[in-house]
Amino acid sequence: MIELGHGTHVGLRRTRNEDTYHADASLGLFLVADGMGGHQHGEVASALVRDAMVERVGAGSGLVEAVNEAGERLLARTRPSFDLLPMGTTIAALRISGDDYEVAWVGDSRIYLWQRSLRRVSHDHSLVQALVEAGQLDPARAAQHPQRNLLTQALGVTATEQLRIGMARGTLEPGMTFLLCSDGLTECVDDASIAHTVARNDLAAQECADHLLLNALDGGGDDNITVVLVRCS
């Protein structure tokens, strides 16, 4: 059994929502995409990748294959354009098939797994994360780094041959809860607060998702905020 909670909010400082998401238990596909590019390019990019993912997974593609194909489709859309504004998007995706799950990601939209404690499954494709992994930046200072939003990988921006899609697989167990979110949540709510909300079994999955959105708004709501919560029982 899968219980879903999901939602998105433009935030308190943006005029448009360039995030999008998909949550489909029948297909077993759940994703969050955070578009970028200025004007309406960000929302176009995230919607295009969302639709491509749904199409490819529905046709039987594996999750990583679907992400790669969605990225190629977005690149093909941007190549003929002489517009100076780029068009790209992050992706954080979960596929559940029977008793198995797989996740894939590009960029800094995140995937968390709650199972008695909260664990971040994904690793940000960002300059700050690269500096932390190289030992050049204290992890405690990463959240305040002025270039923390600078991505090293993004669909529509990174060439196919240079794209490094993060992925992980595992076996579903009762009590697992997955959280997919854009950085609009993680910029305003720390992991300890996220864990406190996701752990609340007295709340329905949708109530947990609503609380996360409200917590991000209370924390400043500087960006678009999107969450998809997938609770397995």
Side-chain angles (χ1 to χ4, degrees), residues 83-98:
D83 197 317
L84 295 177
L85 293 170
M87 183 165 70
T89 185
T90 69
I91 182 76
L94 163 69
R95 175 80 195 282
I96 292 177
S97 180

Side-chain angles (χ1 to χ4, degrees), residues 2-228:
I2 291 175
E3 183 188 2
L4 286 176
H6 49 82
T8 187
H9 195 286
V10 70
L12 302 177
R13 311 203 186 282
R14 301 295 181 96
T15 57
R16 290 186 316 279
N17 194 342
E18 296 182 317
D19 286 2
T20 191
Y21 71 91
H22 187 79
D24 184 350
S26 61
L27 184 58
L29 177 65
F30 314 90
L31 66 85
V32 167
D34 178 356
M36 62 201 81
H39 292 317
Q40 295 182 324
H41 285 203
E43 54 206 87
V44 170
S46 60
L48 188 152
V49 164
R50 176 201 63 207
D51 294 346
M53 290 288 296
V54 172
E55 177 188 321
R56 297 317 305 156
V57 170
S61 294
L63 197 60
V64 171
E65 181 185 0
V67 171
N68 201 59
E69 292 176 359
E72 289 182 347
R73 192 173 299 187
L74 184 54
L75 280 169
R77 172 73 176 266
T78 59
R79 280 193 198 105
S81 175
F82 293 99
D83 197 317
L84 295 177
L85 293 170
M87 183 165 70
T89 185
T90 69
I91 182 76
L94 163 69
R95 175 80 195 282
I96 292 177
S97 180
D99 293 329
D100 299 316
Y101 72 85
E102 57 178 337
V103 297
W105 67 92
V106 176
D108 62 355
S109 290
R110 290 182 181 173
I111 303 167
Y112 291 89
L113 171 60
W114 168 266
Q115 194 179 26
R116 295 178 291 277
S117 63
L118 189 72
R119 177 169 66 90
R120 191 191 307 175
V121 180
S122 61
H123 304 279
D124 294 351
H125 293 138
S126 67
L127 174 63
V128 163
Q129 183 64 33
L131 291 173
V132 169
E133 291 173 358
Q136 298 175 17
L137 179 66
D138 182 347
R141 300 180 61 187
Q144 283 75 46
H145 196 282
Q147 293 179 300
R148 62 187 179 276
N149 299 122
L150 187 60
L151 300 182
T152 57
Q153 298 266 315
L155 297 182
V157 177
T158 306
T160 302
E161 62 272 13
Q162 297 175 327
L163 191 63
R164 302 290 180 263
I165 302 170
M167 61 85 61
R169 294 189 176 98
T171 302
L172 282 180
E173 296 177 20
M176 280 184 168
T177 298
F178 293 90
L179 171 65
L180 285 65
C181 61
S182 63
D183 67 342
L185 177 69
T186 53
E187 281 280 311
C188 295
V189 185
D190 62 27
D191 284 7
S193 298
I194 291 173
H196 177 75
T197 300
V198 174
R200 291 192 58 180
N201 288 325
D202 59 313
L203 297 179
Q206 185 60 54
E207 291 177 300
C208 286
D210 292 342
H211 274 276
L212 290 170
L213 290 172
L214 289 172
N215 290 345
L217 292 171
D218 288 343
D222 295 330
D223 199 354
N224 307 146
I225 313 151
T226 302
V227 300
V228 173

